Amino acid sequence: MRNEQIRNVAIIAHVDHGKTTLVDQIIKQAHILRDNEAFQDCLLDSNDLERERGITILSKNISVNYNGIKINIIDTPGHSDFGGQVERVLNLADGVLLLVDAAEGPMPQTRFVLDKALELNLKPIVVINKVDKPDARCDEVHNMVFDLFVELEADDDQLDFPVLYASGRDGWAVADMNDPRDSIKALMDAIIKYIPGPPVHEGPVQMQATTLDYSDYVGRIGIGRVYRGNLNLKTPMSIIKRDGTVRPVQLKELHTFEGLGRVKKENIPCGDLCAIVGIPDIDIGDTLADRETPEALPLIALDEPTLSMTFRVNDSPFFGKDGKFVTSRQIRERLLKETERDVALRVEENGGDAFIVSGRGVLHLSILIENMRREGFELTVAQPRVILHTHHGKKEEPIEILTVDVPDEYAGKAIELIGQRRGEMLRMDQHGIRKSLAFHIPTRGLIGLRSKLMTATAGEAIVSHRFVHYGPYAGEIATRNNGVLISMGNGPSVAFAIDALQQRGTFFIDPGVECYEGMIVGEHCLDKDLLVNIQKAKQLTNMRASGSDRAMKIAPAQKQSLEEALEYIAADELVEVTPHNIRLRKRWLTENERKRMKRTAAGED
């Protein structure tokens, strides 16, 4: 028996294949917003960072009423660093909309999320999106998707997937390319027709928390699906934790999803999605069950972190000039609050003023750092390090699958760069004038690789990767060949000094920027560090000879984003993050300290 009044569907795709834009059109054409409400693009990307970067970071739910049927739509992240969220929220759905770019075809994250969907026996609908692109190749992409289904050992029913063609930006979807392109009605009809309603299981209630939300007013909010029975606010309930312990709980509020928001309800029917308020320690995978007959649902696997960074208080000479929250206590509270919301994050204390923060990748952790600096925090962050495992006495490290799409003339450079990072080629495919390359590469080798690939391919490379498994340690990987230019004094940088030092390397700062001793101001052209007097001004005398002055031509500074800075630094360097500045610096600021620490390290070896 199924609840035919409800459909639960997740939208899955590789990053930037148009999920959120398509959901925008569903919202727009379903008239969820009132006429007097302003419509904005990427409505579900409510976070400032999501809007700026154009990616979905947090999974979100909306509900649409279409022809009397409630359709719960789950918008999922597309970036591999947030892939664990996708795995979990697929448990909420009975079917998936698989979006594939009409030009790029299936990408690594497409394969990953589709594999999970097929494992859960979800009904797929394939949407070939962006068919209005000039380089669209719909038939070829359709064949590639079918081949991917075969590779992933889909059963006969899953292989018989319906295909729609869409342009999310223009707001239309059709089952046949000759149909009129005026709305996404064909997509909504396909959801009702092909995706089954949730099964109705009679008996004592069971509900499992699949994702978490957090509110400063009510604390943790568990979001999940009612798998059996009807969930009622007045029914005595128990919670079954991951370790098997059972204890009674009292629910304070039940919410169901309607439109873009949530509405309080007394009762949630079997198969519907809901949010629970009133259990302060609810966690991913916890089961809410009837107090008389508490039965646990199968546990949901949580992602293991693959990368860690050390967060420390800012101890530079500019400490406290920029931020509101600068103490280790404030940083600790903020990090622990983040673990309440993000279960893929781990925080360990490391001494009095340092914390080891572990996550799924550089992007995962840099999003946290970016949010903290916008909130007014000041901190320093050390080089990202992969988390190694020991298996049967042998050291193992995380291995990822890396896909690089480049024009033919740059393929050799890309292969050479990836080979230097211990990448092993799996395949090379030709698509017109571009090549698609796939490699197995240690996660260590990916740190700083994207920017080098972009430079080597004149910005043409399309790079994506995802974690596959732990494999044997691949040996040492050289990451940065050049040393850095280090300021030897305090004070603003001077144009005269930068002009005189341009032959020595590339600068990261412009004239007039405040510097301090030990701050990294540029990259040296050789493989060793160089101390520079960036504050040296021109000697002014009343003696002047004809032709001795020349016009200064200073190259623009190479500014780095937060991710680029984190991937650039070496083991003895830090990134200083404040609300208005991102600076690179040496861990030990004075030359004497650096020499002493070098001797100490050599003595320990």
Side-chain angles (χ1 to χ4, degrees):
M1 183 181 165
R2 292 185 177 273
N3 187 342
E4 293 301 332
Q5 297 306 304
I6 296 174
R7 298 288 187 277
N8 296 320
V9 58
I11 301 187
I12 58 175
H14 188 79
V15 65
D16 202 29
H17 278 200
K19 295 180 300 298
T20 307
T21 307
L22 192 70
V23 174
D24 277 351
Q25 292 299 333
I26 293 172
I27 293 167
K28 200 172 186 177
Q29 297 187 27
H31 303 296
I32 288 176
L33 296 177
R34 297 190 307 274
D35 292 339
N36 63 344
E37 285 186 276
F39 189 85
Q40 54 188 23
D41 290 337
C42 297
L43 200 65
L44 286 196
D45 286 348
S46 50
N47 183 313
D48 285 345
L49 275 178
E50 291 181 315
R51 293 192 162 284
E52 287 169 23
R53 293 164 185 254
I55 60 171
T56 302
I57 295 169
L58 302 169
S59 172
K60 303 170 194 72
N61 303 22
I62 66 160
S63 163
V64 173
N65 197 302
Y66 180 74
N67 290 350
I69 295 173
K70 182 182 181 182
I71 302 175
N72 288 312
I73 298 172
I74 306 152
D75 185 23
T76 63
H79 197 283
S80 55
D81 281 17
F82 311 106
Q85 283 194 55
V86 184
E87 290 180 67
R88 296 197 302 274
V89 298
L90 287 180
N91 286 291
L92 300 174
D94 298 296
V96 291
L97 292 181
L98 176 68
L99 252 70
V100 183
D101 189 292
E104 293 178 10
M107 299 288 276
Q109 187 70 2
T110 317
R111 183 191 188 91
F112 170 70
V113 291
L114 179 61
D115 190 24
K116 297 295 176 189
L118 295 178
E119 274 179 32
L120 293 166
N121 205 29
L122 302 180
K123 178 68 182 174
I125 296 175
V126 174
V127 181
I128 298 176
N129 195 26
K130 304 188 183 182
V131 297
D132 51 344
K133 286 172 83 168
D135 54 347
R137 45 193 181 123
C138 299
D139 292 339
E140 197 176 331
V141 168
H142 187 175
N143 292 334
M144 289 163 74
V145 173
F146 185 82
D147 292 343
L148 179 60
F149 271 76
V150 173
E151 269 182 59
L152 297 175
E153 299 177 358
D155 60 33
D156 291 344
D157 184 46
Q158 289 169 332
L159 281 172
D160 189 23
F161 55 81
V163 178
L164 286 93
Y165 304 92
S167 169
R169 186 185 60 184
D170 295 335
W172 57 264
V174 292
D176 188 296
M177 290 293 274
N178 297 318
D179 289 350
R181 305 175 179 187
D182 51 9
S183 73
I184 53 162
K185 186 172 179 293
L187 177 63
M188 307 303 284
D189 290 337
I191 291 173
I192 302 294
K193 181 178 178 183
Y194 295 108
I195 291 178
V200 176
H201 302 292
E202 300 295 338
V205 68
Q206 275 184 315
M207 179 269 183
Q208 188 170 42
T210 310
T211 55
L212 297 177
D213 197 359
Y214 185 82
S215 162
D216 289 333
Y217 302 104
V218 296
R220 272 195 181 185
I221 300 168
I223 297 171
R225 171 172 164 172
V226 181
Y227 286 92
R228 190 174 69 189
N230 287 344
L231 182 58
N232 194 291
L233 196 59
K234 293 172 182 171
T235 306
M237 305 292 288
S238 289
I239 190 168
I240 306 164
K241 303 292 288 179
R242 291 184 73 85
D243 58 4
T245 56
V246 183
R247 72 164 202 277
V249 289
Q250 180 60 52
L251 306 183
K252 290 182 181 172
E253 291 177 10
L254 281 179
H255 296 247
T256 187
F257 297 94
E258 280 191 18
L260 297 174
R262 298 176 191 161
V263 178
K264 285 186 186 180
K265 294 276 183 176
E266 290 283 319
N267 190 67
I268 308 290
C270 185
D272 203 357
L273 311 185
C274 64
I276 295 173
V277 175
I279 307 174
D281 62 341
I282 192 165
D283 218 331
I284 300 289
D286 289 354
T287 303
L288 207 63
D290 188 273
R291 195 174 294 177
E292 301 299 319
T293 52
E295 294 176 57
L297 285 158
L299 280 178
I300 297 171
L302 295 178
D303 321 314
E304 285 300 313
T306 57
L307 205 70
S308 69
M309 293 183 199
T310 303
F311 288 37
R312 301 165 66 244
V313 294
N314 183 16
D315 57 359
S316 83
F318 292 166
F319 160 82
K321 284 188 177 182
D322 218 3
K324 290 188 291 183
F325 309 112
V326 295
T327 65
S328 58
R329 177 185 61 80
Q330 289 166 328
I331 293 170
R332 179 179 179 274
E333 284 175 4
R334 177 64 179 84
L335 291 174
L336 292 178
K337 182 179 174 182
E338 190 66 23
T339 59
E340 293 282 313
R341 190 175 311 188
D342 187 351
V343 291
L345 202 72
R346 308 272 192 281
V347 176
E348 302 167 47
E349 295 201 35
N350 183 26
D353 58 357
F355 308 89
I356 297 171
V357 183
S358 308
R360 291 289 285 181
V362 173
L363 180 67
H364 184 196
L365 295 175
S366 72
I367 293 288
L368 167 61
I369 298 166
E370 185 65 37
N371 279 325
M372 287 177 71
R373 73 184 281 247
R374 290 179 185 213
E375 291 164 19
F377 282 85
E378 247 185 51
L379 64 154
T380 54
V381 187
Q383 182 189 41
R385 294 177 176 274
V386 298
I387 298 170
L388 303 175
H389 286 180
T390 304
H391 187 64
H392 297 312
K394 292 186 178 178
K395 194 156 61 168
E396 290 192 339
E397 65 177 333
I399 305 292
E400 310 216 10
I401 186 165
L402 169 71
T403 304
V404 182
D405 191 297
V406 290
D408 285 346
E409 65 264 31
Y410 298 121
K413 287 183 182 177
I415 292 167
E416 183 186 351
L417 271 173
I418 296 163
Q420 291 169 2
R421 302 297 188 96
R422 305 280 179 175
E424 296 177 5
M425 186 181 282
L426 303 176
R427 66 176 188 274
M428 180 193 298
D429 299 322
Q430 187 77 35
H431 298 310
I433 60 168
R434 297 178 73 90
K435 280 191 171 71
S436 178
L437 314 169
F439 302 84
H440 269 158
I441 185 170
T443 300
R444 286 181 302 136
L446 288 169
I447 297 173
L449 177 62
R450 182 185 292 269
S451 57
K452 281 189 163 49
L453 279 173
M454 287 300 177
T455 305
T457 61
E460 290 273 355
I462 299 170
V463 184
S464 52
H465 58 89
R466 67 173 176 84
F467 171 73
V468 185
H469 59 253
Y470 270 81
Y473 187 74
E476 290 303 313
I477 295 175
T479 50
R480 197 177 79 197
N481 301 323
N482 295 53
V484 290
L485 303 176
I486 307 165
S487 172
M488 60 195 299
N490 301 317
S493 59
V494 177
F496 178 77
I498 292 176
D499 181 52
L501 289 163
Q502 281 188 118
Q503 296 295 320
R504 297 301 186 97
T506 309
F507 278 88
F508 300 153
I509 61 167
D510 290 311
V513 172
E514 284 288 338
C515 300
Y516 54 80
E517 184 181 3
M519 180 171 154
I520 295 168
V521 294
E523 181 176 84
H524 194 198
C525 55
L526 301 178
D527 60 354
K528 56 187 179 184
D529 294 346
L530 179 69
L531 282 169
V532 294
N533 184 358
I534 203 77
Q535 291 82 21
K536 183 180 180 182
K538 185 179 179 181
Q539 291 295 321
L540 298 177
T541 69
N542 58 357
M543 301 294 290
R544 189 161 178 170
S546 174
S548 64
D549 279 0
R550 60 184 177 85
M552 288 188 288
K553 293 179 181 175
I554 297 174
Q558 281 196 2
K559 302 286 175 67
Q560 292 177 322
S561 68
L562 179 59
E563 281 99 54
E564 287 168 343
L566 291 170
E567 292 183 339
Y568 181 81
I569 56 173
D572 66 334
E573 295 163 6
L574 299 170
V575 178
E576 179 185 349
V577 181
T578 73
H580 300 108
N581 295 288
I582 295 171
R583 303 184 186 96
L584 304 185
R585 52 163 281 195
K586 285 291 183 181
R587 186 183 292 267
W588 312 106
L589 294 176
T590 67
E591 178 70 355
N592 287 337
E593 275 183 320
R594 289 195 289 275
K595 284 178 178 174
R596 188 168 68 245
M597 296 312 296
K598 204 170 183 179
R599 284 197 298 271
T600 306
E604 287 175 358
D605 292 344

